[in-house]
Amino acid sequence: MTEFDLIRRHFTRPTPSAVLGVGDDAALLQVSEGNVLAVSSDMLVSGTHFFADADPFLLGHKALAVNLSDMAAMGAVPRWATLAIALPDADEAWLGKFSAGFFSLAQQQGVELVGGDTTRGPLNLCVTIIGEVPAQQALRRSGAQIGDDIWVSGTLGDAALALAHLQNRFVLNEAEFALCVMVLHQPQPRVALGLALRGIATSTIDISDGLLADLGHILDASQVGAQLDFAALPISSTLLGYMQQPLGRQCVLAGGDDYELCFTVPATRHAEVSHIAAQLDLPLTRVGKVVAGRGCIVHDAAGNPLNVEACGYDHFR
Ligand code: ADP
Ligand code: MG
């Protein structure tokens, strides 16, 4: 199979919303009137972001999902994607499953694959996502105001708990692992939430590196501080069982790969956030407040500051 057969068979689908899709030297895309492009890339490297024997269908899902999460965090409508992929060999069965996982999420989210690059090499996946948003409505990291409430979607820490199990740092029973591992392998990007937060959230970020690390980016960009209420952090019933252990706390505060959104909203708009939660059938939890100063203090249930040694995972540390 030539490279071009491979691209035709596995990565070429109709792209009705592109002026020109796969097959020429570049795709041609028309931006909708009044919108700007939101563009972001996320690379998944074998051995760093996934195990070499990872399920290809789930990998296809995740490669796109992590990019969609960035669109969610900008309040952008995802429209198009490109895929740069390095493959050790042209394994037909693997490619079929990978592209099925990729395209099932792409179709669900209305995203068209309009181009990419295919080369031989150690397995490596880089998706670039292109979305649209009216410039003034983009959700940036820099708008948090003192007095705003801090919210997070879904639950935190399950993906990190599953990873700890897979890396033999912790042992979960079969049922617990089955629940957590789906969050790790098949994250659900919060695109609809990002769109609903336009005009409401003062700042937004997606949680890919852990709550403390990613909220920290909002605080830096907005030049404010935060107080978090540890007891308020939303966790699954699985993680609840491990909250007395250091690893449980670490997962919820610093666990990566959850792809939930963290956002700030003026306290006066609480009801609007509750309304969004009901409409989307997605738990949204108020976890703290934006305060003057810098950095983040986490309070325990008794109101005492928690000793937070745990911080977000940093690839170059
Ligand atoms: P060039 O030589 O101009 O870089 P390529 O031969 O790499 O072009 O690619 C041919 C066409 O196939 C281009 O339109 C490119 O965008 C597309 N393409 C290549 N790899 C992928 C892929 N993995 N997924 C989607 N489209 C791809
Ligand atoms: Mg090329």
Side-chain angles (χ1 to χ4, degrees):
M1 187 177 48
T2 71
E3 176 193 334
F4 302 103
D5 291 335
L6 185 159
I7 295 166
R8 203 173 307 121
R9 190 169 311 167
H10 295 292
F11 298 120
T12 309
R13 300 284 163 92
T15 53
S17 80
V19 177
L20 188 63
V22 170
D24 212 308
D25 295 308
L28 299 174
L29 309 172
Q30 178 71 55
V31 189
S32 308
E33 184 153 2
N35 283 249
V36 296
L37 293 179
V39 182
S40 171
S41 299
D42 248 318
M43 190 170 355
L44 297 185
V45 178
S46 179
T48 303
H49 300 96
F50 59 91
F51 299 97
D53 62 352
D55 179 299
F57 183 94
L58 296 175
L59 204 52
H61 172 99
K62 188 162 179 175
L64 182 58
V66 300
N67 280 274
L68 289 169
S69 180
D70 286 317
M71 293 293 100
M74 292 307 287
V77 178
R79 298 286 314 274
W80 305 287
T82 64
L83 168 66
I85 184 167
L87 296 164
D89 47 36
D91 179 339
E92 280 287 312
W94 191 95
L95 280 164
K97 290 177 190 153
F98 175 84
S99 68
F102 185 97
F103 282 115
S104 88
L105 181 59
Q107 195 169 19
Q108 185 192 316
Q109 296 280 345
V111 170
E112 294 176 1
L113 184 66
V114 295
D117 200 17
T118 305
T119 168
R120 195 179 289 275
L123 184 58
N124 190 331
L125 310 160
C126 183
V127 172
T128 296
I129 189 92
I130 303 164
E132 295 185 313
V133 59
Q136 300 311 316
Q137 293 183 28
L139 304 173
R140 302 180 185 216
R141 297 179 177 183
S142 53
Q145 303 291 317
I146 294 164
D148 284 354
D149 289 327
I150 301 169
W151 294 78
V152 298
S153 63
T155 59
L156 300 175
D158 279 355
L161 193 61
L163 184 64
H165 176 96
L166 286 170
Q167 294 176 331
N168 298 315
R169 291 185 284 118
F170 201 72
V171 179
L172 296 169
N173 69 40
E174 216 172 296
E176 291 172 331
F177 178 66
L179 286 171
C180 293
V181 79
M182 287 322 290
V183 182
L184 179 66
H185 285 162
Q186 214 164 13
Q188 300 300 316
R190 303 305 186 189
V191 174
L193 175 59
L195 297 180
L197 290 174
R198 283 181 180 176
I200 294 175
T202 52
S203 69
T204 307
I205 194 166
D206 67 318
I207 306 176
S208 54
D209 293 332
L211 175 63
L212 289 183
D214 290 316
L215 174 60
H217 296 314
I218 284 186
L219 303 181
D220 288 344
S222 302
Q223 305 197 303
V224 290
Q227 288 183 1
L228 289 183
D229 176 4
F230 186 76
L233 297 175
I235 54 175
S236 68
S237 55
T238 311
L239 194 51
L240 184 62
Y242 297 110
M243 287 316 279
Q244 299 315 315
Q245 305 185 28
L247 182 86
R249 293 169 172 233
Q250 212 172 333
C251 283
V252 65
L253 286 171
D257 262 359
D258 283 317
Y259 299 100
E260 295 295 344
L261 295 185
C262 173
F263 53 97
T264 57
V265 176
T268 51
R269 307 191 74 166
H270 188 139
E272 289 168 77
V273 181
S274 303
H275 181 69
I276 292 170
Q279 261 192 334
L280 298 180
D281 193 22
L282 173 66
L284 300 177
T285 308
R286 196 167 53 136
V287 298
K289 273 209 153 319
V290 177
V291 298
R294 285 293 188 284
C296 179
I297 297 172
V298 185
H299 292 287
D300 66 15
N304 300 314
L306 211 69
N307 180 13
V308 187
E309 333 79 312
C311 15
Y313 182 72
D314 181 332
H315 289 277
F316 293 102
R317 189 173 296 147

PDB file of all heavy atoms in Angstrom, residues 37-51:
ATOM      1  N   LEU A  37     -10.595  32.716  13.602  1.00  0.00           N
ATOM      2  CA  LEU A  37     -10.221  31.314  13.745  1.00  0.00           C
ATOM      3  C   LEU A  37      -9.584  31.088  15.104  1.00  0.00           C
ATOM      4  O   LEU A  37      -8.771  31.897  15.561  1.00  0.00           O
ATOM      5  CB  LEU A  37      -9.232  30.903  12.645  1.00  0.00           C
ATOM      6  CG  LEU A  37      -9.772  30.893  11.222  1.00  0.00           C
ATOM      7  CD1 LEU A  37      -8.660  30.498  10.253  1.00  0.00           C
ATOM      8  CD2 LEU A  37     -10.949  29.941  11.097  1.00  0.00           C
ATOM      9  N   ALA A  38      -9.935  29.983  15.730  1.00  0.00           N
ATOM     10  CA  ALA A  38      -9.251  29.512  16.938  1.00  0.00           C
ATOM     11  C   ALA A  38      -8.465  28.278  16.507  1.00  0.00           C
ATOM     12  O   ALA A  38      -9.053  27.325  15.994  1.00  0.00           O
ATOM     13  CB  ALA A  38     -10.271  29.151  18.015  1.00  0.00           C
ATOM     14  N   VAL A  39      -7.152  28.310  16.652  1.00  0.00           N
ATOM     15  CA  VAL A  39      -6.293  27.244  16.127  1.00  0.00           C
ATOM     16  C   VAL A  39      -5.414  26.699  17.244  1.00  0.00           C
ATOM     17  O   VAL A  39      -4.808  27.478  17.990  1.00  0.00           O
ATOM     18  CB  VAL A  39      -5.394  27.774  14.985  1.00  0.00           C
ATOM     19  CG1 VAL A  39      -4.542  26.654  14.408  1.00  0.00           C
ATOM     20  CG2 VAL A  39      -6.241  28.415  13.892  1.00  0.00           C
ATOM     21  N   SER A  40      -5.350  25.382  17.352  1.00  0.00           N
ATOM     22  CA  SER A  40      -4.565  24.791  18.435  1.00  0.00           C
ATOM     23  C   SER A  40      -4.079  23.405  18.021  1.00  0.00           C
ATOM     24  O   SER A  40      -4.774  22.698  17.289  1.00  0.00           O
ATOM     25  CB  SER A  40      -5.447  24.699  19.679  1.00  0.00           C
ATOM     26  OG  SER A  40      -4.805  23.960  20.679  1.00  0.00           O
ATOM     27  N   SER A  41      -2.900  23.015  18.469  1.00  0.00           N
ATOM     28  CA  SER A  41      -2.368  21.678  18.199  1.00  0.00           C
ATOM     29  C   SER A  41      -2.071  20.962  19.503  1.00  0.00           C
ATOM     30  O   SER A  41      -1.641  21.582  20.474  1.00  0.00           O
ATOM     31  CB  SER A  41      -1.058  21.755  17.405  1.00  0.00           C
ATOM     32  OG  SER A  41      -1.264  22.365  16.171  1.00  0.00           O
ATOM     33  N   ASP A  42      -2.274  19.655  19.497  1.00  0.00           N
ATOM     34  CA  ASP A  42      -1.894  18.823  20.636  1.00  0.00           C
ATOM     35  C   ASP A  42      -1.283  17.550  20.104  1.00  0.00           C
ATOM     36  O   ASP A  42      -1.877  16.888  19.264  1.00  0.00           O
ATOM     37  CB  ASP A  42      -3.115  18.506  21.504  1.00  0.00           C
ATOM     38  CG  ASP A  42      -3.032  19.182  22.853  1.00  0.00           C
ATOM     39  OD1 ASP A  42      -1.932  19.175  23.437  1.00  0.00           O
ATOM     40  OD2 ASP A  42      -4.052  19.717  23.312  1.00  0.00           O
ATOM     41  N   MET A  43      -0.109  17.225  20.584  1.00  0.00           N
ATOM     42  CA  MET A  43       0.600  16.046  20.124  1.00  0.00           C
ATOM     43  C   MET A  43       0.505  14.937  21.166  1.00  0.00           C
ATOM     44  O   MET A  43       0.611  15.196  22.352  1.00  0.00           O
ATOM     45  CB  MET A  43       2.072  16.414  19.883  1.00  0.00           C
ATOM     46  CG  MET A  43       2.804  15.322  19.179  1.00  0.00           C
ATOM     47  SD  MET A  43       4.453  15.695  18.584  1.00  0.00           S
ATOM     48  CE  MET A  43       4.736  17.384  18.884  1.00  0.00           C
ATOM     49  N   LEU A  44       0.300  13.713  20.686  1.00  0.00           N
ATOM     50  CA  LEU A  44       0.316  12.547  21.574  1.00  0.00           C
ATOM     51  C   LEU A  44       1.490  11.669  21.152  1.00  0.00           C
ATOM     52  O   LEU A  44       1.541  11.196  20.013  1.00  0.00           O
ATOM     53  CB  LEU A  44      -0.990  11.751  21.473  1.00  0.00           C
ATOM     54  CG  LEU A  44      -2.295  12.437  21.899  1.00  0.00           C
ATOM     55  CD1 LEU A  44      -3.452  11.449  21.847  1.00  0.00           C
ATOM     56  CD2 LEU A  44      -2.185  13.010  23.311  1.00  0.00           C
ATOM     57  N   VAL A  45       2.413  11.458  22.072  1.00  0.00           N
ATOM     58  CA  VAL A  45       3.644  10.715  21.778  1.00  0.00           C
ATOM     59  C   VAL A  45       3.583   9.361  22.484  1.00  0.00           C
ATOM     60  O   VAL A  45       3.307   9.293  23.690  1.00  0.00           O
ATOM     61  CB  VAL A  45       4.872  11.519  22.263  1.00  0.00           C
ATOM     62  CG1 VAL A  45       6.163  10.749  22.010  1.00  0.00           C
ATOM     63  CG2 VAL A  45       4.916  12.877  21.595  1.00  0.00           C
ATOM     64  N   SER A  46       3.845   8.313  21.720  1.00  0.00           N
ATOM     65  CA  SER A  46       3.861   6.962  22.284  1.00  0.00           C
ATOM     66  C   SER A  46       4.902   6.879  23.396  1.00  0.00           C
ATOM     67  O   SER A  46       6.037   7.313  23.225  1.00  0.00           O
ATOM     68  CB  SER A  46       4.185   5.956  21.173  1.00  0.00           C
ATOM     69  OG  SER A  46       4.229   4.657  21.711  1.00  0.00           O
ATOM     70  N   GLY A  47       4.493   6.333  24.540  1.00  0.00           N
ATOM     71  CA  GLY A  47       5.426   6.210  25.662  1.00  0.00           C
ATOM     72  C   GLY A  47       5.336   7.382  26.626  1.00  0.00           C
ATOM     73  O   GLY A  47       5.643   7.246  27.803  1.00  0.00           O
ATOM     74  N   THR A  48       4.905   8.540  26.125  1.00  0.00           N
ATOM     75  CA  THR A  48       4.745   9.708  26.996  1.00  0.00           C
ATOM     76  C   THR A  48       3.275   9.930  27.325  1.00  0.00           C
ATOM     77  O   THR A  48       2.898  10.107  28.482  1.00  0.00           O
ATOM     78  CB  THR A  48       5.305  10.984  26.322  1.00  0.00           C
ATOM     79  OG1 THR A  48       6.678  10.744  25.999  1.00  0.00           O
ATOM     80  CG2 THR A  48       5.203  12.183  27.239  1.00  0.00           C
ATOM     81  N   HIS A  49       2.425   9.908  26.275  1.00  0.00           N
ATOM     82  CA  HIS A  49       1.003  10.185  26.468  1.00  0.00           C
ATOM     83  C   HIS A  49       0.127   8.939  26.386  1.00  0.00           C
ATOM     84  O   HIS A  49      -1.041   8.980  26.753  1.00  0.00           O
ATOM     85  CB  HIS A  49       0.519  11.189  25.430  1.00  0.00           C
ATOM     86  CG  HIS A  49       1.243  12.490  25.493  1.00  0.00           C
ATOM     87  ND1 HIS A  49       2.304  12.787  24.685  1.00  0.00           N
ATOM     88  CD2 HIS A  49       1.070  13.560  26.301  1.00  0.00           C
ATOM     89  CE1 HIS A  49       2.754  13.992  24.970  1.00  0.00           C
ATOM     90  NE2 HIS A  49       2.026  14.487  25.952  1.00  0.00           N
ATOM     91  N   PHE A  50       0.666   7.863  25.846  1.00  0.00           N
ATOM     92  CA  PHE A  50      -0.099   6.610  25.805  1.00  0.00           C
ATOM     93  C   PHE A  50       0.884   5.451  25.699  1.00  0.00           C
ATOM     94  O   PHE A  50       2.059   5.645  25.351  1.00  0.00           O
ATOM     95  CB  PHE A  50      -1.096   6.594  24.641  1.00  0.00           C
ATOM     96  CG  PHE A  50      -0.467   6.746  23.268  1.00  0.00           C
ATOM     97  CD1 PHE A  50      -0.071   5.633  22.534  1.00  0.00           C
ATOM     98  CD2 PHE A  50      -0.273   8.011  22.710  1.00  0.00           C
ATOM     99  CE1 PHE A  50       0.503   5.776  21.279  1.00  0.00           C
ATOM    100  CE2 PHE A  50       0.299   8.160  21.453  1.00  0.00           C
ATOM    101  CZ  PHE A  50       0.692   7.032  20.733  1.00  0.00           C
ATOM    102  N   PHE A  51       0.386   4.248  26.024  1.00  0.00           N
ATOM    103  CA  PHE A  51       1.219   3.056  25.920  1.00  0.00           C
ATOM    104  C   PHE A  51       1.238   2.588  24.463  1.00  0.00           C
ATOM    105  O   PHE A  51       0.246   2.739  23.747  1.00  0.00           O
ATOM    106  CB  PHE A  51       0.675   1.956  26.826  1.00  0.00           C
ATOM    107  CG  PHE A  51       0.667   2.343  28.287  1.00  0.00           C
ATOM    108  CD1 PHE A  51      -0.487   2.828  28.892  1.00  0.00           C
ATOM    109  CD2 PHE A  51       1.828   2.248  29.051  1.00  0.00           C
ATOM    110  CE1 PHE A  51      -0.483   3.204  30.245  1.00  0.00           C
ATOM    111  CE2 PHE A  51       1.834   2.612  30.390  1.00  0.00           C
ATOM    112  CZ  PHE A  51       0.680   3.087  30.984  1.00  0.00           C
TER     113      PHE A  51
END
